[in-house]
Amino acid sequence: MAGEAKNLKPRRLRGHKAEATCCISSSSRPGFVASSGEDGLICLFDLRCQDVASTIDVAKGPISSLCFKSGNDDLVYASSGTEITCLDVRLGSQSEPVETYNYNKDEINQISFNTKSNFLAAVDDCGDVKIIDTNQKRLCKSLRGAHSSICSSAQFVPWKPWALITGGLDSKLAIWDFSKARKLLVIDYGVPENMNLGQCLNPAFVHSIAVPQTDKILGASYKICAVARGDGIVDVIDLESELRPLTKPRSKNGVGQSANCNESGEKRIHLDYSLGGHTAAVSCVSFSTFGEEGKFLISGGNDSSVKVWNWLNRFSSLQSSSVDDLALSIDIKRKVNWLCTTPTDSENLIVCDTSKVLKVYTV
């Protein structure tokens, strides 16, 4: 039944000694998963096997984020504190740092690799965004002035070479031309016109951003971004219409004016509790990589649930309601820290919650 809450029995992946913080899956090697934890370890899993393949001792403190090097899933980048370390996972527990970077002055919350080039983004607690050229092994750009507090998430836009999207706990979403260190647009979810006053009372912090790796989804072009918000809402915004020259001038700081499809032509949808969505902050969001890539949007939250959304039902028509918006709701039992999907027909959803054990579901 579409949208039915299910207590699915997951497969459990063990290897961490403390809470798991992040997980990523390989696009070139289906079933290969890396996870990080507060124990400073990276655990490597091959889902064809029962046990953890190997563990790498990376840091003395928690690892906040992981990402693979684009085009080479043998190299994984991990952030801990203010440092980024690159490791060769083929060496397993014997792996030594291939590269290290220390450009951020405050604790890094997320790192993200550009799928079309060798740029690595790192966002931190003071709101700074560092763009690192991993070919030249140097700092390329420092982006400032969009976020007044913690910058929590960053994603490059695959079909727009110099575009980067960042989100923060100041409730702002910023779109950058990082080649010029220039803000193209800032959407402030903390202003009344961008708030859903019927939702929970938590601030609309931006906890996570997801951008599909292709703009061709189910045969059509969708240049979109998904936003996990602290007020329990998952937003899907049309980047093309947001950045299109507007018929009415914006305010000086470039703050957006709208929700749904407004008089400026901006197109957004809200996936909220009225559709069976989250009742607490949404901590992470991801587009599916299994089946037809990007068909589903998957979110995890502090309400200990994971939601699988048929986002296209609403986005393609901007209809007011649909019984098919929510495809599946999974009861996780604990708050969700992170999730990722694998390009396989089974065991295709990996969830990190506030325990040290990863959960694997088939959706």
Side-chain angles (χ1 to χ4, degrees), residues 88-132:
D88 189 333
V89 298
R90 292 171 297 182
L91 300 177
S93 59
Q94 304 303 312
S95 182
E96 295 291 335
V98 177
E99 307 163 21
T100 57
Y101 301 103
N102 278 284
Y103 295 118
N104 294 78
K105 295 180 180 179
D106 214 332
E107 185 171 347
I108 298 169
N109 294 304
Q110 189 179 24
I111 54 175
S112 179
F113 217 96
N114 191 330
T115 58
K116 300 298 183 182
S117 62
N118 288 285
F119 293 114
L120 179 72
V123 299
D124 62 31
D125 274 1
C126 64
D128 284 357
V129 182
K130 303 295 185 182
I131 307 294
I132 301 165

Side-chain angles (χ1 to χ4, degrees), residues 160-237:
K160 199 170 180 64
W162 298 104
L164 177 76
I165 306 174
T166 60
L169 302 194
D170 53 2
S171 301
K172 291 178 181 177
L173 185 80
I175 305 175
W176 303 83
D177 177 346
F178 69 87
S179 68
K180 300 175 182 177
R182 180 168 66 93
K183 299 187 296 290
L184 300 176
L185 174 71
V186 176
I187 299 171
D188 189 347
Y189 288 113
V191 298
E193 56 262 37
N194 286 329
M195 297 169 65
N196 185 340
L197 299 179
Q199 190 71 3
C200 64
L201 297 177
N202 292 335
F205 296 157
V206 177
H207 289 294
S208 172
I209 302 166
V211 179
Q213 294 307 302
T214 175
D215 64 339
K216 299 294 182 183
I217 299 171
L218 300 180
S221 179
Y222 292 97
K223 293 179 169 63
I224 55 171
C225 168
V227 183
R229 292 169 43 170
D231 56 1
I233 297 172
V234 178
D235 261 14
V236 182
I237 67 174

Side-chain angles (χ1 to χ4, degrees), residues 279-310:
T279 56
V282 187
S283 53
C284 55
V285 65
S286 177
F287 285 95
S288 59
T289 56
F290 52 81
E292 296 174 283
E293 187 171 347
K295 179 180 179 180
F296 297 106
L297 181 59
I298 306 175
S299 59
N302 289 352
D303 57 357
S304 304
S305 72
V306 166
K307 309 291 182 179
V308 181
W309 299 96
N310 282 316

